[in-house]
Amino acid sequence: MAKKKESTLTSWEDVNLQLKKLADLEIQKRTLENQETEETNKIKERFMQQTNAVVDEINAIEKNITLFAEQNRSEFTKKRTKKLTFGSISFRSTRKISVKNAAAAIASLKQMNMDEYIRATESVDKEALLALNDNELAPLSKAGISVKRGDEITIKLDIVQIASNNQTVA
């Protein structure tokens, strides 16, 4: 049989000191995360400038190729693809659906009995179910809905207080 673990703390004063240590570590962690974010942003900014120049050149070349292909569209009447040494250019037929007013479109589809073209997402509203009392929840157990009860220990740090104490001490 496994031995039950016991705390090394012996008093509430020990707990309070551990809370202070925990808050200090949390402050240190946040400071490091902020430094990490700042450094990451600097690196991203440096590479973003270089990347933007390359992306601009890519877009200009693609636009120029597209213009040339459109000007020579007559060459794509029999074959929809032109193979070249370093790639190919194709004209493809595409279709897209545009919906300006979703509510009106849904109403029209329902009126025409075209419900299969309407997406509906359903999910259980757990927050609303938590508002029910035990008598109201009892019949739902047949549907596999139950409430799990338990106690959770919450540790809430007074970081503002500890941070201000650290500044006055330092």
Side-chain angles (χ1 to χ4, degrees):
M1 191 173 213
K3 199 173 190 182
K4 187 176 180 184
K5 292 184 179 181
E6 291 189 19
S7 173
T8 58
L9 303 174
T10 58
S11 68
W12 287 110
E13 183 57 34
D14 288 348
V15 172
N16 197 36
L17 290 172
Q18 290 298 301
L19 286 173
K20 181 185 183 316
K21 184 175 181 178
L22 189 60
D24 286 338
L25 290 170
E26 185 67 32
I27 291 168
Q28 184 180 358
K29 179 181 142 222
R30 289 180 186 181
T31 302
L32 290 170
E33 288 172 344
N34 288 341
Q35 290 173 350
E36 176 190 14
T37 301
E38 288 174 12
E39 292 296 319
T40 302
N41 288 341
K42 288 177 187 174
I43 292 169
K44 284 182 180 179
E45 181 64 33
R46 192 175 74 234
F47 281 97
M48 183 67 73
Q49 292 169 355
Q50 295 171 7
T51 303
N52 285 344
V54 173
V55 168
D56 289 345
E57 190 172 353
I58 288 170
N59 290 338
I61 292 171
E62 285 178 346
K63 186 177 181 180
N64 201 15
I65 291 171
T66 301
L67 287 171
F68 184 84
E70 287 174 353
Q71 290 169 355
N72 295 282
R73 191 177 194 125
S74 61
E75 294 182 32
F76 292 90
T77 54
K78 291 182 182 177
K79 277 189 152 186
R80 303 286 289 166
T81 300
K82 184 142 189 100
K83 292 189 182 213
L84 304 167
T85 307
F86 299 109
S88 61
I89 309 295
S90 301
F91 276 91
R92 295 286 176 245
S93 177
T94 62
R95 292 176 48 183
K96 292 181 184 177
I97 300 292
S98 169
V99 178
K100 290 184 175 131
N101 184 340
I106 290 170
S108 295
L109 287 168
K110 283 183 178 182
Q111 189 176 18
M112 293 185 281
N113 292 324
M114 297 178 75
D115 293 342
E116 66 271 18
Y117 300 103
I118 300 171
R119 278 194 195 138
T121 57
E122 294 180 346
S123 62
V124 175
D125 188 350
K126 294 179 181 179
E127 291 79 22
L129 288 172
L130 281 174
L132 298 176
N133 63 39
D134 289 341
N135 291 333
E136 294 170 318
L137 282 170
L140 298 176
S141 65
K142 293 176 185 174
I145 297 173
S146 63
V147 176
K148 294 181 182 176
R149 299 181 194 290
D151 287 330
E152 285 186 18
I153 294 176
T154 303
I155 299 173
K156 186 174 181 182
L157 304 172
D158 192 350
I159 291 181
V160 173
Q161 174 68 29
I162 299 210
S164 66
N165 284 348
N166 288 347
Q167 289 175 352
T168 57
V169 172

